[in-house]
């Protein structure tokens, strides 16, 4: 086993020699890379302004997890942090050039997507190497792409202004290519899109908000196969939009007005934030919502029913806010029109009591943490009841530990492995494989998948 690592990753190459073979022995060589995740302690509760290093208009931000966040804005500016915002790096360029960027989404510290809509048409760009390079992955003449959301590392959606019908794009190959869906909703009147006006829960529940004289929100509960909409007559302009689960959502508007739904967007009621000004950004985490209006941030701990001032010291008018949750911990970033970044950390008081949406497919996730010592968590998804076998193997294909061998119900499942073998002994440092086999109770084709992991003492 040979170490080939760098400061930011662990890379190992190993050679397996086959037994009982003539000289020279038959061998197989492979390489296994593991990215190091640096664990940061939680910041002090509340809000802090961070130094972005730019004065450009920042239009959009994405909080990926407690450490990683991205931001994008005018002039091709893209910023990235991997330490909670203590420092930000400029990582724009490539095919984007100096185009104004209106939306950003990211799934990790290395993979992100942005939109740009100059007079020539609508662009969608992607990086898979932390912004070292950016490629054009979609273009169409006309229109304006307003928002992006990646459901997971493979599938995503983007929405934009009507070009014929509303522009709704999907990808199923990690964002390498995008195409308009055949079931886009029809435009009503002179509707146009709202920046970052897209909310998604699970893989099937999708909402987006057009900016019109009379507020409206489009919704789909089947991944975009069919669409419906609701009019919000008490909103003069629908802007920010967020849902904490499939039922509770909040939409922003002008004059400090906002709207709240408790039935997935079928009906809405008017709520008012303190003072006035357009509510541009809304973020949801568990049962709590955060909204930006001017340089201020407001917080609701009762699913958007009532609001109170949370922070009034943002650097410039805040255009967008994004949140990521880790249990009861909420991490937020808000960005302004003067290059300002405001970071927040809270232990949320409202806990979402709605069950997690059922998975749409069998999936085996990467264990975390990885590398690990002494324990790690393996997560997998079952879209139907199945008999599950989950085992750990060494490089020689020998069974090390049996973690599951039982019938399990549909849903997401987590298994914590303590790094011990079937005999109760702590395993040695090295590369291991974990394999999931799920045999559906209805007799459908079994699902099998395996992944690598590294025990590092």
């Amino acid at each position: 086993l040979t170490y080939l690592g760098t400061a930011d990753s662990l890379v190992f190459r190993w050679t397996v020699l086959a037994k009982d073979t003539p000289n020279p022995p038959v061998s197989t060589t492979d390489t296994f890379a593991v990215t190091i995740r640096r664990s940061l302690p939680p910041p002090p509760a509340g809000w802090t302004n961070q130094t972005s290093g730019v004065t450009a208009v920042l239009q959009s931000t994405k909080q990926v997890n407690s450490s990683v966040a991205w931001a994008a804005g005018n002039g091709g500016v893209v910023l990235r942090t991997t330490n909670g915002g203590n420092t930000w790096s400029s990582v724009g360029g490539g095919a984007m050039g100096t185009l104004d960027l209106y939306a950003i989404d990211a799934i990790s510290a290395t993979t992100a997507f942005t939109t740009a809509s100059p007079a020539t048409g609508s662009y969608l760009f992607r990086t898979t190497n932390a912004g070292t390079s950016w490629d054009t992955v979609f273009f169409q003449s006309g229109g304006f792409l307003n928002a992006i959301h990646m459901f997971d590392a493979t599938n995503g959606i983007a929405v934009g202004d009507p070009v014929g019908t509303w522009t709704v794009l999907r990808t199923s190959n990690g964002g390498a290519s995008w195409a308009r869906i055949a079931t886009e909703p029809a435009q009503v009147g002179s509707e146009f899109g709202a920046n970052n006006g897209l909310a998604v829960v699970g893989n099937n529940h999708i909402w987006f908000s057009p900016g019109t004289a009379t507020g409206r929100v489009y919704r789909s509960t089947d991944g975009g196969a069919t669409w419906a909409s609701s009019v919000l007559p008490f909103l003069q302009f629908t802007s920010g939009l967020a849902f904490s689960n499939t039922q509770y959502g909040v939409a922003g508007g002008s004059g400090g007005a906002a709207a709240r739904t408790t039935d997935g967007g079928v009906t809405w009621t008017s709520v008012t934030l303190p003072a006035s000004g357009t509510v541009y950004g809304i973020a949801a985490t568990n049962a709590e919502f955060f909204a930006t209006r001017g340089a201020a941030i407001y917080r609701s701990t009762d699913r958007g029913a009532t609001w109170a001032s949370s922070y009034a010291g943002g650097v410039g008018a805040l255009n967008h806010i994004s949140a990521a949750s880790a249990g009861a911990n909420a991490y937020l970033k808000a960005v302004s029109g003067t290059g300002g970044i405001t970071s927040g950390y809270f232990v949320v008081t409202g806990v979402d009591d709605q069950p997690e949406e059922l998975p749409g497919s069998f999936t085996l996730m990467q264990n975390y943490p990885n590398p690990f010592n002494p324990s790690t968590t393996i997560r997998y998804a079952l879209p139907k009841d199945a008999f599950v076998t989950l085992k750990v193997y060494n490089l020689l294909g020998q069974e090390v530990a049996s973690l599951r061998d039982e019938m399990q119900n549909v849903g997401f499942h987590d298994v914590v492995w303590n790094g011990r073998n079937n005999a109760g002994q702590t395993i040695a440092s090295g590369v291991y494989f974990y394999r999931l086999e799920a045999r559906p109770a209805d007799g459908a084709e079994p699902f099998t998948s395996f992944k690598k992991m590294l025990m590092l003492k």
Side-chain angles (χ1 to χ4, degrees):
L1 184 65
T2 305
Y3 173 65
L4 305 172
T6 67
D8 294 319
S9 66
L10 294 176
V11 182
F12 291 88
R13 177 176 296 145
W14 66 90
T15 300
V16 179
L17 303 180
K19 290 184 177 181
D20 303 323
T21 58
N23 288 326
V26 178
S27 66
T28 300
T29 301
D30 199 357
T31 301
F32 173 39
V34 180
T35 299
I36 299 173
R37 290 187 177 181
R38 297 177 174 87
S39 178
L40 299 175
W47 299 95
T48 57
N49 291 326
Q50 298 179 330
T51 302
S52 70
V54 302
T55 58
V57 175
L58 296 178
Q59 303 278 8
S60 182
T61 182
K62 172 64 176 184
Q63 183 86 47
V64 178
N65 54 41
S66 61
S67 303
V68 177
W70 297 70
N74 290 3
V77 169
V78 179
L79 304 176
R80 169 182 170 269
T81 180
T82 58
N83 57 16
N86 294 326
T87 57
W88 291 82
S89 300
S90 180
V91 293
M96 299 181 301
T98 58
L99 295 175
D100 292 343
L101 308 175
Y102 295 100
I104 190 167
D105 190 44
I107 59 176
S108 68
T110 57
T111 302
F113 303 83
T114 64
T115 69
S117 299
T120 53
S122 305
Y123 290 87
L124 204 159
F125 304 101
R126 179 182 74 151
T127 181
T128 58
N129 54 16
T132 300
S133 62
W134 292 84
D135 300 312
T136 303
V137 291
F138 176 81
F139 172 79
Q140 72 174 7
S141 298
F144 191 109
L145 289 178
N146 300 292
I148 326 161
H149 176 85
M150 292 297 293
F151 300 103
D152 50 44
T154 302
N155 303 288
I157 187 172
V159 296
D161 286 4
V163 177
T165 55
W166 278 99
T167 298
V168 181
L169 310 176
R170 294 295 296 259
T171 182
S172 58
N173 58 6
S177 61
W178 298 72
R180 295 181 64 167
I181 65 175
T183 54
E184 295 169 328
Q187 178 187 21
V188 177
S190 58
E191 290 176 331
F192 55 91
N195 281 5
N196 303 296
L198 172 67
V200 175
V201 174
N203 294 324
N204 295 314
H205 293 267
I206 304 165
W207 301 264
F208 71 88
S209 56
T212 56
T214 300
R216 181 188 298 271
V217 173
Y218 287 89
R219 67 183 185 277
S220 175
T221 59
D222 52 17
T226 60
W227 296 87
S229 66
S230 298
V231 176
L232 289 61
F234 35 80
L235 288 189
Q236 296 180 2
F237 179 86
T238 311
S239 48
L241 182 67
F243 275 73
S244 63
N245 59 36
T246 60
Q247 301 301 307
Y248 289 91
V250 174
S254 60
R260 173 180 183 255
T261 180
T262 62
D263 58 10
V266 178
T267 60
W268 296 78
T269 56
S270 178
V271 295
T272 303
L273 275 68
S276 62
T278 299
V279 179
Y280 280 113
I282 298 177
T285 172
N286 289 322
E288 297 198 4
F289 287 85
F290 295 84
T292 66
R293 199 211 65 242
I297 301 173
Y298 299 87
R299 182 184 183 187
S300 171
T301 60
D302 54 8
R303 296 187 174 95
T306 60
W307 295 80
S309 176
S310 183
Y311 188 64
V315 182
L318 300 170
N319 291 324
H320 188 225
I321 187 169
S322 175
S325 299
N329 298 313
Y331 303 87
L332 302 102
K333 292 290 184 293
V335 294
S336 82
T338 57
I341 297 178
T342 299
S343 180
Y345 167 73
F346 296 88
V347 176
V348 297
T349 57
V351 178
D352 194 348
D353 57 7
Q354 186 187 32
E356 189 172 20
E357 187 180 58
L358 297 180
S361 61
F362 287 101
T363 308
L364 177 63
M365 290 79 157
Q366 186 65 50
N367 66 301
Y368 63 94
N370 188 37
F372 66 95
N373 179 27
S375 63
T376 189
T377 298
I378 298 172
R379 190 172 219 223
Y380 52 92
L382 306 177
K384 56 182 69 176
D385 295 349
F387 192 92
V388 171
T389 301
L390 178 64
K391 295 185 177 183
V392 178
Y393 298 88
N394 61 22
L395 285 172
L396 299 177
Q398 300 166 328
E399 180 180 321
V400 174
S402 179
L403 306 181
R404 285 292 184 273
D405 194 29
E406 63 188 18
M407 179 64 69
Q408 292 190 318
N409 294 330
V410 59
F412 293 91
H413 297 267
D414 294 285
V415 176
V416 178
W417 182 37
N418 59 8
R420 294 180 179 272
N421 60 23
N422 287 332
Q425 301 166 328
T426 301
I427 63 171
S429 295
V431 176
Y432 294 86
F433 299 88
Y434 57 100
R435 180 181 184 274
L436 174 72
E437 180 181 23
R439 300 188 294 277
D442 62 6
E445 188 74 17
F447 167 83
T448 59
S449 180
F450 75 93
K451 293 185 181 296
K452 302 172 185 176
M453 58 183 170
L454 176 64
M455 169 63 147
L456 186 63
K457 295 182 180 180

